Amino acid sequence: QVQLVESGGGLVQAGDSLRLSCGASGRPFTRYAVGWFRQAPGKEREFVGAISRIDITTTYGDSVKGRFTVSRDNAKNTVYLQMNSLKPEDTAVYYCAAKSTITTMTYTATSDFDSWGQGTQVTVSS
């Protein structure tokens, strides 16, 4: 399995931007499709965005479409989540997850993924 570590979370104001990073180690990163999820207190884990293993395809959840962008740098074993126009309802713990695959698909269900990071807190004040 690949090991994942998220970073970049913090406290920001509504309308601000933030970029999260998901660093991977342990396996060649080009074997993995990556997804971002978030979980607010008392709520289920929600799909945010995903990217295929060689950066061909991205997919986004409806609540973030047009504001968030997922990208990856396989040379740095890192996937990014650029978050713009942040809203208080974006407040959550954000997780990245990886799925070993030979396809160029994106995956959106929590059950699709093999490895998870520990999460990073994002808080957006109004």
Side-chain angles (χ1 to χ4, degrees):
Q1 284 188 337
V2 66
Q3 288 78 48
L4 304 173
V5 178
E6 302 95 336
S7 60
L11 172 63
V12 297
Q13 293 187 333
D16 285 352
S17 297
L18 202 60
R19 190 177 78 162
L20 305 183
S21 298
C22 173
S25 62
R27 297 279 183 174
F29 202 36
T30 52
R31 295 182 182 181
Y32 292 87
V34 175
W36 284 96
F37 294 80
R38 66 187 182 186
Q39 190 164 19
K43 295 188 176 182
E44 293 187 354
R45 195 162 293 191
E46 176 190 15
F47 170 72
V48 174
I51 191 165
S52 58
R53 65 181 182 89
I54 51 174
D55 197 11
I56 290 177
T57 308
T58 54
T59 306
Y60 298 95
D62 289 341
S63 61
V64 306
K65 209 170 288 185
R67 300 188 298 123
F68 290 13
T69 303
V70 182
S71 62
R72 69 190 295 161
D73 185 340
N74 283 338
K76 295 182 178 180
N77 285 353
T78 302
V79 171
Y80 303 99
L81 178 66
Q82 177 66 43
M83 305 185 293
N84 298 330
S85 302
L86 282 161
K87 305 175 182 180
E89 51 264 43
D90 294 319
T91 296
V93 177
Y94 283 72
Y95 299 89
C96 65
K99 174 181 176 59
S100 178
T101 181
I102 60 171
T103 76
T104 55
M105 294 171 56
T106 55
Y107 299 87
T108 62
T110 57
S111 58
D112 289 332
F113 293 90
D114 311 309
S115 303
W116 290 82
Q118 82 291 347
T120 186
Q121 176 70 46
V122 172
T123 304
V124 185
S125 64
S126 56

